Each structure stands twice: as structure tokens, then as C-alpha cells.
Amino acid sequence: MRKKRTGAAAKASGVDGMLITHLPDVRYLCGFTGSNAVLVLMGGRATLFTDGRYTIQARAEATGTKVVITKKAAVIAACEWMESAGVKRCGFDSAHMTVASLETMRKAVSAKVRRGMFVAVGPIVAGLREVKDADEINLVRTAALVGCDLFDGMLTYLEAGLTETEVAATLEYAARLAGAEGMSFDTIVASGERSALPHGRATRAKLPKQGFVTLDFGVILDGYCSDMTRTVHLGKASRDERDVYDSVLEAQEAAVAAVAPGVTAGEVDEAARSVLRRVKLDKYFSHSTGHGVGLEIHEGPRLAAKQTQVLQQGMVITIEPGVYMPGRFGLRIEDMVLVTANGGEVLTPSVKAWVEL
């Protein structure tokens, strides 16, 4: 069905073949997980080009797909094959095509077809991937729950004096033991003044006796990513720290409550931003409210100010407002949310109320 939908969208774009080079798109369409692959869709048929390292793997994974093992660069072999098969207009996703790769593709075909053969058709597959099917939702849900279990475990060992890298290492080791293929991104552990860094990756800095610790992490399970952020406080917090935390939590929950099919991404962003604006903290919220998650940690839709894309049932998004005060502290709270027929279902139900250790 994924191949058929892609083929129909390609035909509507005026091309008679599609060249898929972005590996997550290849995996989405045929199941192949290798590091070298080009997929050609033409006339309802799918053909995968890869090299001899993946002979066994490709034939086992690439369901409903012809496999071609080539000694040439996969993209060259694919372009030569398309010309011999009579493709006149080949679509490609310009977001994942370099100038050098496009030039290689043009040189792979004869001069008589080169001029009009390759056509940028936009992110067709990426658009389809935004709405998850039932199998994908189950995979994302499982990955999200593994993340929740990891956070619950972290609460048992977080303490002042540990380095941020020690915390990240303990988390990532536990993730592997839980079956994760890897982390969705470099684990963020940002403590004390460093918590004011929105993407404060773990360093040798020690967790303070008193201050926030922001923990942003995710796992990859069966190819699908999870993503969550929790912020805890070590030691006794000041009234100001507690007030800011409560405001961010209110903003986050307001945005979650705004999620529903038919609502725009910008409206969800505004639901969070308006809460922080009311308490004059919006100037410290320096990024978008969220993004899609799936085979990649950052997918569409983008939840940001004035974004007009309409949410659809089956989308999986993050809701992650934050406040970052340089030289003082920062914090973020993030959930993964599934857009359902009736609203939004939180896939990361770990505690997000105030935690003071």
C-alpha cells in the first residue's frame, strides 16, 4: 500500500518513475535497512539497487521488491536501468539530493534523455510518512514506553556529584539492555546553569547539589524513534524555580490539550506560547513547540508559530515547550502525542509533575 500511494502521488506529479535515495524512505517503502540503497518505483513495480555486502539481507528484508546487486554505484546502476526500461521523467526528492548526486545521475544516462529526465517532485514519501499506520503506531508506542521505563529508573540513581556523562552512560546502557538498537539522538543531560542550554549535550560537568537537571533522550526500537524530556530538581528549589516550572508544565499541557485532527500546527504552538506570554516568560522560549517523530527523530509536521499545516489522525508529534534563562537555569517538558480521532493521546505517560530529589 505504501508503494501504491507513492506511485499514485508520483503519477499526479507528472513523472513515470521515482528514484528514492533517502534511506528512511527506502526502509519505509520496502523494509530494507542497509546503509547503501536506491529504490526505483515504476509502473507499480519496485526495484532495489544495492551492493554485494547486502545480498542476503536485501532479499530477506525487501518485501515485494526486485533486488539488483551491483558492483557500480547504486544510483548509477539505477539510472541506467531506468533508461533501459523506458522511463522518460524520473522524480526525485530535492530535499535529499545534492548537486553532486544529481550530476552523477545525469551522467549515468545518455544525452538523448538527459535534458528532461530528472524532475524534482518534492518530499512525496516524507509527506506519506507523517501519517502512521497501525503497525507504525504500535512500534512508536513501544519505543515510547521503553523511554518511560528508562526515566523511572533514572529517578533511582540521580544525585549530586555524578557527571552528566555518567548519567547519560547509565541511561544508554540501560536502553541497550532493554533492547534498543541505539539512541534516537545524543542524550541531553544539562544541569545547573547548563540547563539553560536547549540542546545541552552531556559533559563532564557534575550535577549540582541544588538546581535543575534536564533530561532529553529517546531510543530506537525496530527502526522507530522515541523522544521525551523531563526536568527534575536536585535539592530545595527557590520559589522562582518552582513558579517557572509550573508555568512550563501548564504551557505543555495546554498544547497537548489543543491537539486534534483539523487543528493547525500553529494553533498548537500558540496554545503553549500564550501561557508563557501571560506570565512574561515567552521571550525565554526560543524554539518551536514540537515536531513529528517516526523512522527519523525529526519529521513533519513542524509545530511552530504561524504553521498552517493541519494535523491528521495518525500523526505522532512532540509537545516540548521550554524556558531558558542564561546564567540562571532552564527547563523543558516533552511528551510524544498521537493524533487520534478525538484529540491527542500521550504516548509518554511518565510523571511530569514537580520532582525534587
Side-chain angles (χ1 to χ4, degrees):
M1 290 303 298
R2 295 175 187 178
K3 296 185 188 78
K4 287 181 180 179
R5 286 194 292 267
T6 302
K11 185 177 181 180
S13 297
V15 298
D16 54 344
M18 277 288 294
L19 186 71
I20 313 295
T21 59
H22 187 46
L23 292 176
D25 289 347
V26 172
R27 179 170 185 165
Y28 176 77
L29 290 171
C30 76
F32 180 63
T33 64
S35 64
N36 178 32
V38 171
L39 185 69
V40 174
L41 297 182
M42 187 187 73
R45 294 177 297 158
T47 305
L48 177 73
F49 294 82
T50 188
D51 63 72
R53 295 173 298 169
Y54 296 111
T55 301
I56 297 173
Q57 180 179 338
R59 287 170 181 158
E61 292 181 341
T63 56
T65 303
K66 179 182 178 182
V67 175
V68 175
I69 303 300
T70 177
K71 293 183 179 180
K72 298 181 179 179
V75 71
I76 292 175
C79 291
E80 291 175 347
W81 183 86
M82 281 191 294
E83 181 178 4
S84 67
V87 174
K88 302 300 182 186
R89 287 172 62 81
C90 169
F92 66 91
D93 182 354
S94 58
H96 298 290
M97 182 64 62
T98 65
V99 173
S101 294
L102 183 56
E103 184 63 21
T104 297
M105 288 158 51
R106 287 175 172 155
K107 288 180 178 178
V109 299
S110 62
K112 65 180 180 179
V113 300
R114 183 178 302 155
R115 180 180 294 272
M117 183 166 179
F118 298 107
V119 181
V121 294
I124 287 176
V125 183
L128 294 174
R129 283 172 47 198
E130 289 181 2
V131 178
K132 274 60 180 177
D133 59 33
D135 289 341
E136 291 181 290
I137 290 170
N138 286 335
L139 291 170
V140 171
R141 189 190 304 278
T142 302
L145 290 176
V146 169
C148 290
D149 289 343
L150 293 172
F151 175 69
D152 292 344
M154 293 174 77
L155 295 179
T156 67
Y157 61 78
L158 279 177
E159 61 181 13
L162 290 174
T163 65
E164 294 172 347
T165 50
E166 286 175 324
V167 174
T170 304
L171 168 72
E172 292 173 8
Y173 179 62
R176 283 292 194 174
L177 291 179
E181 299 160 24
M183 306 306 290
S184 301
F185 50 91
D186 288 346
T187 298
I188 292 173
V189 181
S191 61
E193 287 188 8
R194 293 192 70 256
S195 62
L197 299 173
H199 276 189
R201 292 174 180 170
T203 68
R204 294 180 181 178
K206 291 184 178 182
L207 272 56
K209 292 181 179 180
Q210 194 168 11
F212 282 119
V213 182
T214 298
L215 307 155
D216 187 351
F217 60 94
V219 302
I220 304 172
L221 206 63
D222 293 322
Y224 282 79
C225 300
S226 72
D227 189 5
M228 64 182 289
T229 306
R230 294 292 186 266
T231 302
V232 301
H233 197 278
L234 297 180
K236 184 67 175 177
S238 67
R239 182 72 259 173
D240 188 35
E241 288 173 321
R242 182 63 189 266
D243 287 345
V244 173
Y245 186 95
D246 289 345
S247 295
V248 172
L249 180 58
E250 182 184 351
Q252 201 266 349
E253 291 181 333
V256 170
V259 172
V263 173
T264 68
E267 288 172 327
V268 177
D269 177 87
E270 177 58 21
R273 214 168 290 276
S274 63
V275 171
L276 297 179
R277 188 181 302 119
R278 188 187 72 229
V279 292
K280 297 181 171 51
L281 290 173
D282 55 305
K283 66 179 179 180
Y284 300 111
F285 179 21
S286 55
H287 54 75
S288 60
T289 293
H291 55 85
V293 183
L295 283 168
E296 294 180 278
I297 190 59
H298 289 105
E299 300 182 351
R302 179 171 177 257
L303 281 71
K306 300 180 180 179
Q307 291 292 306
T308 59
Q309 183 173 0
V310 174
L311 299 186
Q312 301 177 56
Q313 183 176 347
M315 287 180 168
V316 177
I317 58 176
T318 67
I319 303 293
E320 49 180 307
V323 163
Y324 313 97
M325 299 177 168
R328 296 183 63 197
F329 61 82
L331 65 104
R332 179 169 62 258
I333 303 169
E334 175 188 19
D335 282 316
M336 293 174 66
V337 179
L338 169 66
V339 183
T340 70
N342 302 314
E345 176 192 348
V346 174
L347 301 180
T348 45
S350 285
V351 60
K352 55 186 177 183
W354 178 259
V355 173
E356 196 168 87
L357 300 175

